[in-house]
């Protein structure tokens, strides 16, 4: 997959997946106002699911992370994960399965320093190891392309090209630990097609062939010519084959490598038809037989004079699906009228049809793959000027159709656009009864996402009446109830493209340093320059990244404040006990708005040392997601979440100078705590972070604790001795 370095992705507030005719669907994650970008980069599909990877972040602030999501074949999310190298902007390139254990390996480039970065996850996307220990030692600007895959030996090959030094660097690491085992380096010069000496070389893509080999494409600028070719390098890192793609008489700039169903190589790119210094470019596909034989060039006839190539995949039917950018100017820029297409080619690479992808102002497709037989899925970015962009997937049905609507769509029967068809939609029809507006083109009351022109009228809560016109006939009346009846209890995600930036900050107030044990951080809404005029309730999620956080301990607590008057509010906090996030909400109950700014509650969590042998910890990061605030009239306020970072938890470095043991553990009734130093205090916390026992001012090394009154479950025991703190888990069984 070719990396487009001018797109850098970012993290997210809104996700969606649409099931269109139970076959065609889309999925996206929106970037935040702080990090204006999100893009999907690569896709892996198996017999039941789809795993995609993309980047998040902004190059100018060198912050971001890698986002991974697994969808089933109807588009519903199975899991999602976020992996960050603190202080860096990650540009993901490839995701590859690990056949021996079902995990995944991901290759990326750190855009702030241009070093390679690799990591492995388990089958659920949980991080197992990363390459930091050895890749951090590489020099800056030492990477152009990356790829990672499992070798027949079971080890992992982490590959990166360096166009500056003209080398391919292959670092072999342990599949289990990521520990570096060996390094091999190949010279570009040794791979050049015979008879050429280059001045400059540019690598374009790396792909595995599924047989333990990897493929690479290059373009060389020589003293009197330009030549491009593909090479196959085996698992012993020996060049088995090199095949010329084109030279100066047909200058070809490769971008992507793919394999067809026969195992032959397809290289997409651009052919310069105006000579070496010409400016006329045509999207082009070059085929190379896997066994032997020369390359064959195919220019795609449906393209404009200036066009560019993306990824390509072949369906079981033999048809190809191919990403192509068409543009009339000398450079691709979607904002100036260029467009991206998914082109259908027959088995002979002859174009038969093309679908224009035009959901937003900018539409970028980075990769395309097959799934569920003869369907295809494409990934990239959707962006409307003035809002953060979306990590973006679109999936076809068996006929090859893609979703006709993705954002601001009408779902027949969901009259209030809440995401659920229920009795509230009957009330919405009553509120909008008699209003008229534009007819919906190709209207149906089938449960599909449909494009519709905005009406000039809306419901009292601001919902546009285009949603309330359930059957699309241009008038809200009794007939619209049929769609409610037919689609009752159906659900979908609400995906609105909003151009208004949030202006009321929701933030954490912290000294920047967490400690082992229970931590509490104030949550603040508004500030002196951005006061809240009128608010009645708020809800949001908090997501945390950090390896030392106890998941079940994360809790959002609202308290008496300018927002929530004593005994006149409801609050709720939810945590499923397994993920590093919590959901919280609070609403007033006195039928009056509040105004002001300041603390509205706290975020609490427990930091625990539970990774044997480590004496330091990664930073802990906090982010608000899925924020919604309303006033008494149900109108939404514009709120922006501000992320926060806590440095390495204090106390971790001292844990191993302050080790203690719990015996027996598990226990049925009581236990002993023994330390090498005199114990000053012991605290016992339940899994939600509430302190339930405490022993103070003891100077003994061995302390007996009666736990007969504690129910079965998991607890945290915190010990302070010699001025240092340590925490361990305790299990009580009955």
């Amino acid at each position: 997959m070719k990396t487009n370095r001018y797109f850098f992705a970012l993290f997210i507030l809104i996700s969606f997946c649409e099931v269109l005719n139970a076959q065609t669907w889309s999925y996206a994650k929106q970037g935040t106002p702080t990090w204006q970008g999100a893009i999907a980069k690569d896709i892996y599909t198996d017999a039941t699911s789809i795993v995609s990877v993309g980047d998040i972040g902004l190059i100018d602030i060198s912050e971001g992370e890698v986002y991974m999501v697994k969808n089933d074949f109807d588009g519903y999310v199975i899991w999602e994960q976020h992996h960050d190298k603190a202080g860096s902007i990650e540009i993901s390139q490839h995701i590859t399965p690990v056949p021996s254990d079902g995990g995944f390996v991901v290759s990326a480039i750190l855009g702030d320093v241009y070093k390679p970065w690799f990591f492995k996850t388990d089958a659920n996307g949980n991080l197992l190891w990363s390459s930091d220990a050895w890749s951090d030692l590489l020099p800056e600007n030492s990477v152009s392309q990356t790829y990672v895959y499992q070798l027949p030996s079971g080890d992992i090959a982490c590959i990166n090209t360096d166009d500056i030094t003209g080398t391919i660097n292959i670092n072999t690491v342990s599949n289990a630990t990521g520990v570096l085992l060996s390094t091999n380096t190949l010279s570009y010069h040794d791979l050049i097609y015979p008879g050429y000496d280059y001045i400059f070389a540019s690598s374009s893509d790396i792909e595995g062939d599924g047989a333990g080999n990897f493929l690479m494409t290059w373009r060389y600028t020589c003293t009197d010519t330009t030549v491009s070719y593909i090479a196959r390098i085996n698992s012993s890192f020996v060049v088995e084959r090199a095949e010329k793609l084109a030279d100066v008489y047909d200058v070809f700039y490769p971008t992507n490598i793919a394999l067809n169903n026969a195992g032959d190589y397809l290289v997409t790119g651009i052919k310069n038809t105006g000579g070496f210094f010409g400016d006329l470019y045509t999207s082009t596909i070059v085929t190379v037989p896997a066994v032997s034989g020369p390359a064959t060039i195919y220019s795609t006839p449906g393209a404009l004079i200036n066009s560019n190539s993306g990824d390509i995949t072949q369906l079981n039917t033999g048809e190809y699906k191919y990403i192509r950018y068409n543009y009339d100017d000398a450079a691709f820029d979607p904002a100036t009228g260029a467009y991206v297409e998914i082109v259908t080619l027959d088995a002979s690479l002859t174009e038969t049809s093309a679908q224009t992808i035009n959901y937003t102002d900018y539409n970028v497709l980075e990769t395309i793959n097959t799934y569920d037989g003869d369907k295809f899925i494409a990934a990239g970015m959707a962006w409307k000027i003035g809002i953060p962009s979306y990590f973006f997937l679109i999936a076809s049905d068996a006929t090859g159709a893609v979703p006709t609507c993705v954002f601001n769509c009408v779902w027949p029967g969901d009259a209030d656009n809440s995401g659920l068809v229920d009795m509230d939609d009957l009330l919405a029809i009553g509120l909008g009864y008699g209003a008229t507006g534009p007819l919906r083109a190709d209207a149906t009351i089938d449960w599909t996402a449909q494009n519709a022109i905005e009406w000039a009228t809306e419901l009292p809560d601001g919902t546009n009446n285009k949603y309330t016109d359930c059957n699309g006939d241009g008038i809200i009346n009794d007939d619209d109830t049929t769609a409610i009846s037919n689609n009752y209890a159906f659900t979908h995600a609400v995906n609105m493209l909003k151009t208004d930036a949030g202006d009321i900050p929701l933030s954490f107030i912290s000294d920047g340093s967490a400690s082992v044990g229970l931590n509490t951080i104030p949550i603040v809404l508004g500030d002196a320059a951005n006061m809240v005029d009128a608010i009645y309730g708020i809800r949001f999620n908090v997501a945390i990244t950090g390896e030392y956080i106890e998941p079940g301990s994360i809790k959002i607590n609202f308290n008496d404040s300018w927002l929530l008057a004593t005994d006149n509010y409801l609050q709720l906090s939810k945590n499923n006990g397994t993920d590093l996030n919590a959901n919280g909400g609070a609403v007033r109950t006195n039928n009056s708005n509040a105004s002001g700014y300041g603390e509205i509650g706290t975020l609490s969590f427990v930091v625990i040392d539970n990774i044997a042998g480590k004496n330091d910890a990664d930073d802990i990061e906090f982010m608000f997601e899925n924020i919604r605030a309303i006033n008494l009239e149900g109108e939404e306020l514009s709120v922006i979440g501000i992320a926060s970072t806590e440095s390495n938890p204090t106390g971790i470095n001292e844990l191993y100078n302050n080790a203690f043991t719990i015996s027996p553990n598990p226990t049925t009734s009581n236990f002993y705590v023994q330390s090498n130093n005199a114990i000053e205090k012991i605290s016992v916390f339940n899994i939600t972070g509430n302190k339930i026992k405490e022993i103070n001012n003891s100077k003994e090394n061995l302390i007996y604790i009666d736990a007969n009154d504690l129910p079965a479950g998991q607890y945290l025991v915190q010990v302070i001795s010699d001025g240092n703190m340590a925490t361990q888990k305790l299990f009580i069984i009955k």
Side-chain angles (χ1 to χ4, degrees):
M1 177 195 65
K2 177 66 176 176
T3 296
N4 291 329
R5 288 183 179 170
Y6 44 86
F7 297 115
F8 299 97
L10 162 315
F11 206 61
I12 25 206
L13 292 174
I14 303 174
S15 71
F16 69 84
C17 87
E18 305 175 51
V19 180
L20 306 180
N21 294 327
Q23 298 290 330
T24 303
W25 53 271
S26 63
Y27 172 85
K29 283 279 189 177
Q30 187 186 11
T32 69
T34 303
W35 292 349
Q36 299 281 330
I39 187 169
K41 287 295 194 61
D42 198 16
I43 303 169
Y44 166 72
T45 64
D46 59 22
T48 60
S49 60
I50 300 154
V51 181
S52 52
V53 65
D55 351 316
I56 336 173
L58 284 178
I59 191 67
D60 55 348
I61 63 172
S62 295
E63 284 294 341
E65 59 188 3
V66 173
Y67 173 64
M68 296 173 65
V69 61
K70 183 175 184 178
N71 301 83
D72 66 18
F73 283 167
D74 289 325
Y76 291 106
V77 174
I78 299 172
W79 51 254
E80 59 180 3
Q81 297 283 0
H82 318 282
H83 302 299
D84 180 31
K85 181 171 174 59
S88 295
I89 171 67
E90 298 86 355
I91 308 170
S92 58
Q93 291 201 298
H94 290 275
I95 181 169
T96 313
V98 180
S100 65
D101 55 30
F104 301 97
V105 281
V106 174
S107 70
I109 294 173
L110 302 179
D112 49 328
V113 292
Y114 277 89
K115 296 181 181 182
W117 190 53
F118 306 90
F119 64 84
K120 182 187 176 184
T121 75
D122 63 16
N124 294 316
N126 298 299
L127 185 67
L128 297 177
W129 54 256
S130 68
S131 64
D132 300 45
W134 58 268
S135 59
D136 282 355
L137 303 178
L138 298 175
E140 291 190 12
N141 300 310
S142 61
V143 62
S144 303
Q145 298 292 326
T146 63
Y147 188 75
V148 59
Y149 74 111
Q150 187 171 39
L151 297 166
S153 65
D155 297 327
I156 301 296
C158 301
I159 304 162
N160 75 274
T161 64
D162 184 345
D163 291 347
I164 295 176
T165 61
T167 56
I168 309 163
N169 303 295
I170 306 160
N171 293 282
T172 302
V173 304
S174 163
N175 177 43
T177 65
V179 170
L180 183 63
L181 302 175
S182 63
T183 298
N184 290 269
T185 300
L186 301 175
S187 170
Y188 284 8
H189 184 78
D190 297 336
L191 301 174
I192 296 176
Y193 192 79
Y196 292 98
D197 190 11
Y198 76 93
I199 338 176
F200 175 78
S202 176
S203 56
S204 60
D205 197 16
I206 312 173
E207 289 285 351
D209 69 354
N213 313 302
F214 68 91
L215 310 170
M216 288 193 60
T217 51
W218 289 267
R219 177 176 61 87
Y220 296 98
T221 299
C222 307
T223 54
D224 59 352
T225 188
T226 293
V227 62
S228 59
Y229 75 91
I230 186 170
R232 182 175 67 213
I233 301 170
N234 66 21
S235 58
S236 299
F237 314 127
V238 174
V239 179
E240 287 191 336
R241 182 182 175 199
E243 194 72 44
K244 183 173 70 171
L245 299 173
D247 58 22
V248 70
Y249 303 108
D250 230 345
V251 179
F252 177 69
Y253 302 85
T255 55
N256 291 74
I257 306 171
L259 276 69
N260 65 12
N261 297 341
D264 296 331
Y265 313 147
L266 287 83
V267 182
T268 66
I270 308 170
K271 184 176 68 173
N272 183 344
T273 56
F276 185 78
F277 295 105
D279 59 359
L280 300 178
Y281 298 91
T282 305
S283 57
T284 301
I285 303 168
V286 177
T287 63
V288 181
V291 180
S292 63
T296 304
I297 295 178
Y298 295 86
S299 293
T300 55
L304 298 179
I305 292 176
N306 283 322
S307 57
N308 196 356
S309 292
D311 201 6
I312 189 170
T313 191
Q314 189 175 27
L315 306 180
N316 291 339
T317 60
E319 285 186 336
Y320 292 93
K321 298 293 180 178
Y322 170 49
I323 297 171
R324 180 174 65 200
Y325 290 92
N326 281 329
Y327 51 97
D328 291 313
D329 206 346
F332 170 66
D333 183 358
T336 61
Y339 56 93
V340 60
E341 298 173 312
I342 297 177
V343 180
T344 301
L345 310 171
D346 65 18
S348 65
L349 295 175
T350 300
E351 181 173 339
T352 58
S353 63
Q355 300 166 285
T356 299
I357 305 303
N358 188 28
Y359 297 115
T360 54
D361 297 341
Y362 282 74
N363 301 275
V364 175
L365 295 180
E366 285 277 333
T367 186
I368 193 166
N369 208 338
T370 59
Y371 83 102
D372 194 19
D374 289 323
K375 303 172 187 175
F376 65 87
I377 181 167
M381 180 185 76
W383 176 47
K384 184 176 177 63
I385 295 172
I387 66 166
S389 63
Y390 287 79
F391 175 109
F392 185 55
L393 305 176
I394 52 173
S396 80
D397 62 14
T399 70
V402 295
T404 58
C405 181
V406 171
F407 301 102
N408 304 327
C409 308
V410 171
W411 289 79
D414 186 12
D416 58 1
N417 196 35
S418 67
L420 168 67
V421 182
D422 58 10
M423 288 303 171
D424 284 345
D425 296 302
L426 186 69
L427 304 182
I429 290 175
L431 290 171
Y433 201 89
T436 59
L439 278 68
R440 189 163 70 240
D442 302 318
T444 174
I445 62 171
D446 294 339
W447 188 242
T448 63
Q450 300 175 33
N451 286 305
I453 299 172
E454 297 287 310
W455 284 26
T457 58
E458 57 188 29
L459 299 178
D461 66 356
T463 300
N464 192 272
N465 275 331
K466 75 173 186 179
Y467 301 102
T468 318
D469 179 22
C470 297
N471 64 1
D473 64 356
I475 184 171
I476 300 172
N477 58 20
D478 305 41
D479 296 339
D480 294 306
T481 62
T482 303
I484 298 176
S485 178
N486 287 4
N487 300 325
Y488 197 80
F490 286 4
T491 61
H492 71 95
V494 179
N495 310 290
M496 305 291 290
L497 281 174
K498 297 181 178 179
T499 57
D500 295 329
D503 56 8
I504 301 172
L506 179 65
S507 57
F508 303 99
I509 303 300
S510 168
D511 62 5
S513 179
S515 62
V516 174
L518 181 64
N519 293 261
T520 301
I521 300 176
I523 297 173
V524 172
L525 179 63
D527 55 33
N530 299 279
M531 294 182 60
V532 183
D533 294 329
I535 183 172
Y536 197 68
I538 188 170
R539 54 97 159 135
F540 52 84
N541 304 343
V542 174
I544 304 181
T545 59
E547 59 183 341
Y548 284 82
I549 306 299
E550 183 66 38
S553 69
I554 302 170
K555 187 175 182 181
I556 298 168
N557 302 282
F558 294 93
N559 49 35
D560 295 346
S561 65
W562 64 271
L563 171 61
L564 304 171
T566 304
D567 298 328
N568 285 319
Y569 66 91
L570 303 173
Q571 69 159 311
L572 186 65
S573 179
K574 299 293 290 183
N575 180 320
N576 66 11
T578 58
D579 298 326
L580 291 181
N581 59 57
N583 305 327
V587 63
R588 294 163 63 88
T589 59
N590 59 0
N591 294 313
S592 65
N593 285 316
S595 61
Y597 71 94
E599 183 176 335
I600 61 172
T602 59
L603 172 71
S604 61
F605 58 94
V606 171
V607 175
I608 179 172
D609 169 49
N610 59 1
I611 301 180
K614 292 201 68 173
N615 58 10
D616 59 8
D618 293 334
D619 289 347
I620 303 172
E621 297 185 350
F622 310 89
M623 180 173 290
F624 290 104
E625 299 178 343
N626 198 25
I627 305 168
R628 186 183 183 217
I630 61 169
N631 60 21
L632 181 60
E633 292 71 35
E635 299 167 336
E636 291 194 19
L637 284 64
S638 187
V639 177
I640 179 175
I642 309 298
S644 180
T645 300
E646 296 278 322
S647 61
N648 291 358
T650 58
I652 292 290
N653 295 336
E654 293 81 19
L655 286 173
Y656 294 97
N657 297 322
N658 187 40
F660 71 93
T661 58
I662 298 174
S663 179
N665 190 11
T667 182
T668 58
S669 58
N670 52 62
F671 61 95
Y672 291 88
V673 174
Q674 185 173 14
S675 173
N676 294 328
N677 303 312
I679 298 172
E680 300 167 21
K681 184 168 72 171
I682 300 175
S683 301
V684 180
F685 300 88
N686 63 20
I687 197 62
T688 63
N690 296 318
K691 185 185 295 185
I692 54 177
K693 280 185 180 293
E694 184 173 284
I695 298 175
N696 289 293
N697 301 320
S698 172
K699 297 299 181 180
E700 302 295 327
N701 294 72
L702 180 66
I703 304 295
Y704 168 84
I705 297 177
D706 185 351
N708 283 294
D709 58 333
L710 298 183
Q714 180 177 310
Y715 297 84
L716 304 176
V717 178
Q718 183 184 89
V719 173
I720 297 177
S721 62
D722 197 26
N724 295 315
M725 181 186 298
T727 306
Q728 292 186 29
K729 290 183 179 179
L730 167 70
F731 298 91
I732 296 179
I733 57 177
K734 299 291 187 179

